Amino acid sequence: MASEEEVGVSRKRKRKPSSSTGPYILRPLVEDVPLTAEEDATDIQITCVELWEENLYVGTSAAEILHFVSIPPEPSDDSPRPTFILASRLKPTYTQPSTAGQALPGVQQIVILSKVNKACVLCNGTLTFYTLPELSPAFNNTKVSNCSWVGGLDLNDGTGEENVATIMICLKNRIRIVRVGEEPRPLKTIEYPGCLVATRRDGFACVANAHSYALLDVDQQQKVSLFPISSLDEAAVDAAGGRVEDISSNAGATNDRSTSSPQPLPSDSADPRGHGRSTSLGTFVGALGRRQQSPGSRSRSRTGVEAPQPLGGAASPSQARSPLRSGSRTTSPGRRVGNLEKPLPAPPEETVAQGETPQAPPPQRSAKSLASLKPHICSPTSTEFLLTTGTAPSEPGVGIFVNLEGDVVRGTLEFSRYPDGVVVDGGSAAAASVSNNLEENSEGYVLAIITRTGGDAGVENAIEIQRWDVDAGEAKDWLVISDCPSQDAPSQEKVAATDSGETPSTTNLGLRATGTSVPIPFPEVGDKLRSKRLVLPMQDLANVQASGRKVLIVDQVTESHTPSGDTELKRDKEEEEFARRLGGTTSHIVVWSGARIWWAVRNPLAMRLDAVIDQVLDQPSEDVSRTRLDRSKIIGIVNSIRAKEARTETEFLSLGYIRQKLSFILFADLVTNRSDRFNRSGADLRITEGLLMEGAVDPRLVLTMVPLLRREIVEGSTGIWVHAGLVQVAQRYWSDLPGLSDADDESISTINGEVLSLIKRYLISWRQRKGFGSIADEAEVFQTVDAALLRLLLYQDRDSRGAKSLSSTRAELYSVVDHSVDCFDRAVTLLEQHKRLYVLSRLYQSRKMAGNVLETWSRIIEGEPDDGGELTDGENEVRRYLVKIKDPTLVENYGIWLAKRHPALGVQVFTHDNSRVKLEPGHVVQLLKRRAPEAVKVYLEHLVFGKKNVQYANDLIAYYLDNVLKVLEFSGQARSMLSQSYETYRALSPPKPTYRQFITDNAISDTWWHDRLRLLELLGGSHGAGFSYDVPSILSRIEPFEQDLVPESIILDGRQGRHQQALRLLTHGLGDYHTAINYCLLGGSSIFHPISGPVPAESIPSREEQATLFRYLLSEFLRIDDISDRVERTSELLERFGGWFDVSMVLNLIPDSWSVELVSGFLVSAFRRLVDQRSEAMIAKALSGAENLKISADFIDKCEVFGPQIEAGDQVQ
């Protein structure tokens, strides 16, 4: 046995596979197979490879089987791949050929029968059986000579019968169906000469000889010839016809042949080669059965079709399980002739011929004869077979799908050259292996060995890969064995053959689908999908290139953002474990060339698409600059995965990683490409935007590409962790960015406005994801998003001051600050830097920071710059806000502040009905007196006049009186104005307004004049008769100005009951006769103020009091200096209010010199009143007499009812 160092694959050796964009890549299985133990042996090749559990079996052209055993890797090994060490070398027994010097193929097949732990080995035309895993001879060294092929395991037998396997053994003239259990037992014999390959599904087998293909119904013993392998084979083409033939072993046998039951296969004498036991052909054939003679000759012909065409879709399950058709085909595609449901006659009893003599394999065809094509049969689904046909090895080949009835289905496959080997993978073809995951390999592929010529490479071996389950058009991929020549060692003979134009031999390249799928580690997948810490570029320093251009430093990071070493190491370890779990797949296809064996493995989605992306990025710089990315190719990759759904965790992460990488590349290209000729189409921008939102890449990575916004990235204590593949592409683009400077706005101005709008929408969409539990580093991510979005909106809104309408950008800015900004401190700093104080106040409002809101507004109102200019009515805004808040301290402080600036608005803060903070009026008055004296009067007026709160009327009267007396004391002009107003009013001819109306209509704008009007209103009783004030105190204060304040004196005289003095001032001091009459009617109350609504009855004096006042007024009217006014006023008073005067008293007061005519109206009304009174008295007297009579009559009636009563002493009888 060779040592591990000689034959094993070193665990420490790491071979980095090249990036591949194809669906398959090669992974080493055994890198140096010891093909021979003899040093001088040459030209030995691998002929077949099979795997069972942890055992690898390699057959060679030297008629040896190398048995390798898998050793799992140690936990400390760098490579996760197991190591295969050589356990033994086996030389299977075989029958020597009768022709001397004939070339022997060596080990042709190794078929694993896993259900019975046996292996069938076909070596140099001899079939032998061995026990797994050590390959010790089985069944007493049973062997079958003159065998061309073995296999035919039922591909539909997923579970099947335990401990039993049924195989097909292809002999020279027939096929034996043998059941292998505890011993091999023949079941049936099928007459089909020269079978080279077969594939079985249930009772149907597709077989091929050297000329054509046929479909066998094993159960019904029938055959349908299909089509030739080579269309140049005229004999096979002529025989094509699609007839149903009986292929039972006794179809042409003689009647005297007897039948025998199946018998165990006998053993033979020991053989020195191998394990020392062998079986002769004659013995094996004898065990299979005796030959029977036919009474007549039987003619057999190979049939086929000339140019098979697709006949429609696959057959239904019922059709697929029906017996093969009878009759011949018609020329109409898809039409079947004959009754397929009609059962065929039962086949005759099986017989097993004995005593067949071994025969040598058929002689090799001459090189000058017609080039033969090797038949290939695969079964991609449970009801279909894939067959190959062509013309010559150097010409293209065609793959044709047929169903279990022989109908051509699907479309055809085209191979660049006729293949030397074909394997199908994926779809339902993977059902043969239980360990193969159908969900992972649901895509169906055909792998074909092709020898390509031409070009700089000369002749190369390659595997052509194409899809069989979909119409992929001309799309093909190649798996090139680039490091393996087409021959092991070049020679003059081989070179000459190549130069002559003949196709060189490709026997050193092999391809096979084993019966066992094994896990294949893919650490590269984990390396790409694992998270890696993103080291941000230095943000304060820049390198200066030789060209003078500043670029970012991408290999340094500030200490303030560096996570602790222990934290990063722990996270790295966790990511390594995660990557180790992700990086794995399975495979059951082996490829060999020379002394090396590989697994043909499905290229993981992440690696395949990543390689495609890298090809686009790595275009030659002389053709396309880095900033001139072929975006159409990137978008094509996006479209290729748009509808793809992940079936595994690895695929889910891979699709997410690829989408993130594609979105970042497209975005980075938009940002870094500053060429004016760069076309940013709307569709292109929409695709980039949609992919950014769909990919869910960490927005902090995206923002590293934007000069204005990358300062807003928040790493947090753990740093930024993204897919490792994204870190590489990010560093690639960082080198194209300009260095950071203080003038960030200048650098961002180079970015197109549409791109900035894209970034804005992207950040807004990220804000909508707040609260999603699936976002890693949620706090840092949304702090970054909010800060970047805020800064971008401030940049876009920088020129909107003074706009008449609210722009969309400003509305978005308001929306951001109004709805939960996570980066609060940074937002305050940005808004302060950009002098957007009103926006800052909205930010404070979103956090219910009322004190900061009011402070910010006060700064704006007091003149601090606010570049937005939004707060146009700041004082009113402050008032409305103070009414809504609940903090008494803020209401008190900023209410007083507002009262200083605008007393009317400030007072409303304390007096608003809906205010949420209610302060005591007395407390407010004291505050205003101390801190905002100008607002005291406004507040008191609101209390007294607005709220009718007479409690503070005295304070307000005192305030008015102070203001008026202060003006009169120091202003002679004011006193002159009052005197002039009296004279002017007296000079007016009746009818004239009242004095109060006169001074109101002719009011001046001075405050003291307004205060005097309010003072008269309060003194005159505007708040009802119940309102009282300190009359003596007021009189004492106005006494020095009694001549100037006549109305005030009149009101105060009335309050003291000095009605005659008051009426005298009204009549002679003011000449306000109308007010004098009202004084008499109202008793001196409610004068000199506007009267609205009815006067309360309790405030009106009695009629006797009114009569007394009218007598005083009549006396004063009779003393008016102007005789005409005297007569007119007196006559009018008597005529209008004669009812309040006694006639005799009036007659005594009226001068005798007056004619009766002057008082005729009064006298007439007086006499009428007297007559009315006399008549009313008489009527009342009569009514009283009538009432007395009525009562007397009622008394008499009552007495009659009760009758007489006798009173005797104290008793009544």
Side-chain angles (χ1 to χ4, degrees):
M1 180 184 299
S3 65
E4 180 178 350
E5 288 77 17
E6 293 174 340
V7 300
V9 178
S10 173
R11 292 192 181 106
K12 299 297 182 181
R13 180 180 179 185
K14 295 182 67 177
R15 181 181 182 88
K16 183 179 179 181
S18 59
S19 299
S20 173
T21 61
Y24 287 83
I25 60 175
L26 297 180
R27 281 300 164 105
L29 180 58
V30 179
E31 297 200 36
D32 189 11
V33 179
L35 296 177
T36 178
E38 302 174 1
E39 296 183 356
D40 56 348
T42 59
D43 201 21
I44 298 177
Q45 301 177 357
I46 299 174
T47 56
C48 59
V49 177
E50 190 54 84
L51 189 78
W52 182 73
E53 293 183 350
E54 306 299 326
N55 302 272
L56 176 67
Y57 305 101
V58 180
T60 69
S61 60
E64 288 185 331
I65 295 179
L66 308 182
H67 178 198
F68 292 86
V69 178
S70 172
I71 304 299
E74 296 292 337
S76 59
D77 286 349
D78 295 335
S79 173
R81 293 187 287 112
T83 300
F84 285 89
I85 63 173
L86 182 61
S88 65
R89 288 179 181 269
L90 170 68
K91 291 189 176 182
T93 59
Y94 61 90
T95 303
Q96 293 291 339
S98 60
T99 304
Q102 179 179 349
L104 299 179
V107 178
Q108 298 166 272
Q109 282 182 270
I110 302 174
V111 179
I112 301 296
L113 308 180
S114 59
K115 289 186 177 182
V116 294
N117 292 342
K118 298 294 188 296
C120 302
V121 177
L122 179 61
C123 179
N124 293 330
T126 301
L127 174 65
T128 52
F129 297 89
Y130 297 90
T131 302
L132 298 176
E134 70 279 2
L135 295 183
S136 60
F139 308 136
N140 296 325
N141 265 345
T142 298
K143 67 178 181 180
V144 179
S145 300
N146 204 22
C147 179
S148 60
W149 188 85
V150 64
L153 293 171
D154 185 5
L155 299 182
N156 286 347
D157 189 13
T159 57
E161 187 178 354
E162 295 294 336
N163 302 322
V164 173
T166 302
I167 60 174
M168 300 174 66
I169 301 176
C170 299
L171 304 176
K172 179 179 180 181
N173 295 318
R174 59 187 55 85
I175 300 174
R176 301 289 190 185
I177 308 298
V178 178
R179 174 175 291 182
V180 179
E182 294 181 358
E183 59 183 8
R185 291 185 177 274
L187 297 179
K188 297 180 182 180
T189 300
I190 298 174
E191 296 296 332
Y192 187 80
C195 181
L196 299 179
V197 64
T199 299
R200 185 163 63 95
R201 292 282 187 181
D202 293 332
F204 297 91
C206 187
V207 298
N209 53 27
H211 300 279
S212 64
Y213 298 99
L215 186 63
L216 307 182
D217 187 339
V218 178
D219 296 333
Q220 301 295 331
Q221 298 281 287
Q222 294 177 342
K223 179 188 77 171
V224 173
S225 298
L226 298 179
F227 43 82
I229 300 171
S230 173
S231 59
L232 300 181
D233 191 344
E234 297 180 358
V237 171
D238 294 340
R243 295 195 308 270
V244 175
E245 302 178 34
D246 186 7
I247 54 175
S248 60
S249 60
N250 59 351
T254 59
N255 294 329
D256 58 350
R257 175 173 294 184
S258 61
T259 61
S260 62
S261 61
Q263 302 175 4
L265 298 178
S267 62
D268 199 1
S269 59
D271 189 277
R273 298 173 298 178
H275 293 280
R277 292 191 298 271
S278 64
T279 303
S280 66
L281 174 63
T283 305
F284 176 73
V285 173
L288 291 179
R290 302 175 180 273
R291 179 185 300 273
Q292 295 180 351
Q293 299 295 329
S294 174
S297 63
R298 176 186 176 188
S299 62
R300 302 183 183 95
S301 63
R302 303 179 183 92
T303 60
V305 293
E306 294 184 9
Q309 298 294 331
L311 300 179
S316 65
S318 62
Q319 295 172 336
R321 300 301 304 165
S322 64
L324 294 178
R325 73 191 72 183
S326 61
S328 60
R329 293 177 183 262
T330 63
T331 59
S332 175
R335 181 178 179 182
R336 295 178 297 177
V337 179
N339 186 359
L340 298 181
E341 302 298 332
K342 181 179 180 180
L344 296 175
E349 294 183 358
E350 301 177 7
T351 60
V352 180
Q354 302 255 350
E356 274 190 341
T357 59
Q359 297 187 20
Q364 300 290 330
R365 186 180 295 268
S366 172
K368 295 185 180 296
S369 64
L370 179 65
S372 62
L373 301 180
K374 182 180 178 180
H376 301 292
I377 303 175
C378 301
S379 182
T381 69
S382 61
T383 60
E384 294 176 317
F385 298 102
L386 171 62
L387 316 176
T388 59
T389 182
T391 56
S394 61
E395 298 297 328
V398 177
I400 302 174
F401 295 89
V402 297
N403 60 17
L404 298 183
E405 294 187 352
D407 292 331
V408 178
V409 294
R410 299 183 183 270
T412 59
L413 300 178
E414 182 177 354
F415 302 100
S416 301
R417 290 195 176 188
Y418 191 84
D420 292 324
V422 177
V423 167
V424 293
D425 184 34
S428 59
S433 175
V434 177
S435 60
N436 194 38
N437 192 331
L438 290 178
E439 291 185 355
E440 294 182 2
N441 295 332
S442 61
E443 297 176 345
Y445 286 93
V446 174
L447 289 77
I449 298 177
I450 304 293
T451 301
R452 303 192 301 184
T453 60
D456 298 336
V459 179
E460 65 176 358
N461 299 319
I463 298 177
E464 184 182 76
I465 305 171
Q466 56 183 311
R467 294 285 298 272
W468 62 262
D469 55 343
V470 296
D471 185 8
E474 300 297 328
K476 295 181 180 180
D477 293 283
W478 291 88
L479 193 59
V480 180
I481 316 299
S482 58
D483 54 351
C484 299
S486 23
Q487 300 278 350
D488 285 342
S491 63
Q492 296 295 332
E493 186 176 290
K494 296 172 184 175
V495 173
T498 302
D499 293 340
S500 63
E502 297 181 7
T503 302
S505 174
T506 59
T507 56
N508 64 321
L509 178 61
L511 176 69
R512 173 170 174 75
T514 65
T516 303
S517 292
V518 296
I520 307 297
F522 261 100
E524 299 91 336
V525 176
D527 291 342
K528 291 182 180 295
L529 298 183
R530 60 157 291 183
S531 294
K532 182 179 179 182
R533 182 172 170 267
L534 181 69
V535 180
L536 295 179
M538 289 285 288
Q539 300 193 353
D540 297 321
L541 301 175
N543 284 332
V544 180
Q545 295 178 334
S547 61
R549 179 177 179 232
K550 292 183 179 180
V551 297
L552 290 179
I553 302 175
V554 298
D555 57 350
Q556 302 183 45
V557 65
T558 56
E559 294 183 359
S560 60
H561 293 154
T562 305
S564 63
D566 294 340
T567 303
E568 187 168 357
L569 289 176
K570 181 180 178 181
R571 178 69 182 271
D572 268 328
K573 186 176 180 180
E574 293 174 353
E575 292 297 334
E576 288 176 2
E577 292 296 329
F578 179 71
R580 188 177 295 109
R581 178 168 61 86
L582 288 179
T585 183
T586 61
S587 178
H588 67 289
I589 301 175
V590 292
V591 178
W592 64 86
S593 180
R596 300 177 63 185
I597 305 175
W598 299 270
W599 287 111
V601 189
R602 286 285 181 100
N603 196 2
L605 181 66
M607 294 184 60
R608 184 166 75 248
L609 295 178
D610 210 45
V612 175
I613 296 172
D614 290 341
Q615 284 185 356
V616 178
L617 294 178
D618 293 335
Q619 292 181 354
S621 58
E622 53 266 299
D623 295 335
V624 181
S625 66
R626 178 173 296 178
T627 56
R628 293 290 302 279
L629 178 72
D630 190 346
R631 298 177 64 86
S632 61
K633 292 183 179 179
I634 296 294
I635 294 175
I637 301 174
V638 173
N639 294 330
S640 68
I641 64 173
R642 188 171 298 280
K644 188 173 182 61
E645 295 183 359
R647 297 178 295 270
T648 63
E649 180 186 14
T650 302
E651 274 197 10
F652 177 79
L653 294 173
S654 299
L655 287 173
Y657 160 68
I658 293 300
R659 289 189 178 102
Q660 290 182 10
K661 186 171 183 178
L662 293 171
S663 62
F664 180 81
I665 290 173
L666 289 174
F667 175 77
D669 180 64
L670 287 177
V671 174
T672 57
N673 197 320
R674 301 174 180 87
S675 174
D676 295 336
R677 296 173 296 176
F678 181 62
N679 181 22
R680 300 178 179 89
S681 64
D684 196 358
L685 291 174
R686 287 193 298 272
I687 291 174
T688 304
E689 179 182 351
L691 196 59
L692 276 174
M693 297 177 181
E694 179 184 356
V697 63
D698 192 320
R700 294 176 291 180
L701 176 62
V702 175
L703 294 177
T704 59
M705 301 301 302
V706 186
L708 176 68
L709 308 181
R710 55 183 168 229
R711 287 185 181 272
E712 308 307 327
I713 296 175
V714 179
E715 292 190 67
S717 59
T718 59
I720 302 174
W721 293 79
V722 296
H723 292 298
L726 293 179
V727 174
Q728 298 173 0
V729 73
Q731 292 176 347
R732 175 192 186 99
Y733 276 99
W734 283 347
S735 60
D736 286 341
L737 292 176
L740 287 173
S741 64
D742 294 334
D744 274 337
D745 289 0
E746 296 179 3
S747 60
I748 199 176
S749 62
T750 60
I751 300 179
N752 184 274
E754 295 178 350
V755 178
L756 291 180
S757 298
L758 182 152
I759 298 171
K760 176 179 67 177
R761 293 190 297 271
Y762 168 69
L763 294 175
I764 291 175
S765 70
W766 257 98
R767 274 178 53 86
Q768 296 171 355
R769 302 182 184 185
K770 288 185 179 182
F772 289 11
S774 59
I775 298 175
D777 300 331
E778 183 177 9
E780 291 79 7
V781 167
F782 289 114
Q783 287 176 18
T784 301
V785 168
D786 287 346
L789 178 59
L790 182 59
R791 187 161 190 175
L792 178 58
L793 290 172
L794 289 173
Y795 172 78
Q796 291 184 324
D797 193 51
R798 65 193 184 279
D799 298 327
S800 61
R801 182 181 179 90
K804 295 182 179 179
S805 59
L806 183 65
S807 64
S808 60
T809 301
R810 181 163 293 182
E812 291 166 343
L813 178 61
Y814 290 167
S815 177
V816 169
V817 298
D818 290 346
H819 298 89
S820 180
V821 175
D822 290 359
C823 59
F824 179 76
D825 293 337
R826 180 57 180 166
V828 171
T829 303
L830 287 173
L831 294 172
E832 291 281 6
Q833 290 176 351
H834 289 77
K835 298 180 181 180
R836 299 300 297 271
L837 298 182
Y838 178 73
V839 182
L840 177 61
S841 71
R842 295 184 69 117
L843 176 63
Y844 287 138
Q845 287 186 66
S846 68
R847 295 292 185 96
K848 300 186 182 303
M849 302 172 66
N852 299 80
V853 174
L854 294 168
E855 179 188 3
T856 307
W857 282 347
S858 66
R859 291 165 57 189
I860 299 173
I861 294 171
E862 290 174 355
E864 191 167 335
D866 178 29
D867 289 351
E870 296 102 319
L871 194 66
T872 55
D873 190 9
E875 293 174 343
N876 217 352
E877 194 72 26
V878 171
R879 178 193 64 81
R880 286 192 291 266
Y881 190 73
L882 288 173
V883 170
K884 298 177 182 178
I885 64 176
K886 297 180 179 180
D887 191 333
T889 303
L890 292 177
V891 173
E892 182 178 307
N893 294 334
Y894 283 95
I896 297 299
W897 172 83
L898 183 60
K900 286 182 181 180
R901 297 185 56 86
H902 198 302
L905 290 178
V907 166
Q908 292 181 29
V909 173
F910 304 109
T911 59
H912 200 282
D913 293 335
N914 297 325
S915 177
R916 307 181 75 171
V917 175
K918 303 294 184 180
L919 297 178
E920 289 296 328
H923 178 64
V924 176
V925 170
Q926 296 302 320
L927 286 175
L928 293 175
K929 287 181 177 180
R930 289 196 312 266
R931 300 168 59 182
E934 299 83 358
V936 174
K937 180 189 71 172
V938 179
Y939 183 68
L940 292 176
E941 286 178 344
H942 174 80
L943 292 177
V944 175
F945 294 105
K947 298 296 185 179
K948 304 301 180 183
N949 191 344
V950 298
Q951 179 182 354
Y952 299 95
N954 283 317
D955 294 332
L956 185 58
I957 290 173
Y959 187 86
Y960 287 149
L961 199 56
D962 290 340
N963 291 344
V964 173
L965 295 180
K966 186 176 181 180
V967 172
L968 295 179
E969 182 180 359
F970 297 101
S971 176
Q973 181 181 2
R975 293 195 298 271
S976 175
M977 292 176 61
L978 289 177
S979 299
Q980 187 176 358
S981 67
Y982 300 148
E983 294 175 2
T984 303
Y985 182 76
R986 285 195 297 267
L988 294 178
S989 300
K992 59 183 179 180
T994 64
Y995 178 74
R996 190 203 180 279
Q997 186 65 39
F998 172 76
I999 59 175
T1000 301
D1001 294 341
N1002 297 277
I1004 60 177
S1005 60
D1006 292 347
T1007 303
W1008 71 271
W1009 190 276
H1010 170 78
D1011 291 346
R1012 182 171 180 251
L1013 292 177
R1014 288 288 191 172
L1015 178 61
L1016 289 175
E1017 188 173 343
L1018 288 175
L1019 295 177
S1022 60
H1023 289 69
F1027 169 61
S1028 62
Y1029 44 85
D1030 190 358
V1031 175
S1033 174
I1034 297 175
L1035 278 174
S1036 63
R1037 296 190 61 186
I1038 69 172
E1039 186 176 1
F1041 307 97
E1042 186 177 2
Q1043 299 299 322
D1044 300 315
L1045 301 176
V1046 176
E1048 288 81 354
S1049 299
I1050 295 172
I1051 295 173
L1052 294 176
D1053 287 340
R1055 285 282 177 170
Q1056 296 179 70
R1058 298 163 56 184
H1059 301 299
Q1060 192 170 2
Q1061 176 66 21
L1063 290 172
R1064 183 180 298 112
L1065 290 175
L1066 280 171
T1067 305
H1068 305 291
L1070 287 180
D1072 189 354
Y1073 310 123
H1074 186 274
T1075 302
I1077 294 174
N1078 286 337
Y1079 187 95
C1080 296
L1081 291 173
L1082 302 177
S1085 63
S1086 300
I1087 63 172
F1088 292 114
H1089 67 84
I1091 299 176
S1092 59
V1095 178
E1098 61 272 10
S1099 64
I1100 299 176
S1102 63
R1103 191 171 184 83
E1104 291 75 11
E1105 293 175 347
Q1106 291 177 343
T1108 301
L1109 294 177
F1110 274 117
R1111 284 199 301 270
Y1112 294 155
L1113 182 58
L1114 178 61
S1115 299
E1116 297 301 326
F1117 276 4
L1118 292 174
R1119 294 190 184 95
I1120 295 176
D1121 295 336
D1122 191 329
I1123 185 61
S1124 60
D1125 284 345
R1126 184 193 313 159
V1127 172
E1128 185 176 356
R1129 299 280 76 76
T1130 301
S1131 299
E1132 181 183 3
L1133 177 64
L1134 292 174
E1135 185 175 355
R1136 292 179 57 193
F1137 302 98
W1140 277 267
F1141 293 97
D1142 181 67
V1143 178
S1144 59
M1145 184 274 297
V1146 172
L1147 293 175
N1148 291 330
L1149 291 177
I1150 293 176
D1152 295 338
S1153 59
W1154 286 19
S1155 66
V1156 177
E1157 250 182 78
L1158 294 177
V1159 293
S1160 59
F1162 165 72
L1163 294 176
V1164 171
S1165 61
F1167 290 150
R1168 286 177 178 173
R1169 189 166 54 254
L1170 291 174
V1171 172
D1172 292 340
Q1173 291 176 357
R1174 179 175 177 276
S1175 299
E1176 291 174 358
M1178 292 176 66
I1179 293 173
K1181 181 179 179 181
L1183 292 174
S1184 297
E1187 184 179 5
N1188 186 34
L1189 290 175
K1190 182 176 181 300
I1191 293 173
S1192 298
D1194 291 339
F1195 177 75
I1196 294 172
D1197 293 338
K1198 290 293 183 181
C1199 289
E1200 291 178 353
V1201 171
F1202 289 107
Q1205 294 181 356
I1206 301 173
E1207 297 181 2
D1210 296 333
Q1211 296 181 352
V1212 179
Q1213 298 180 353

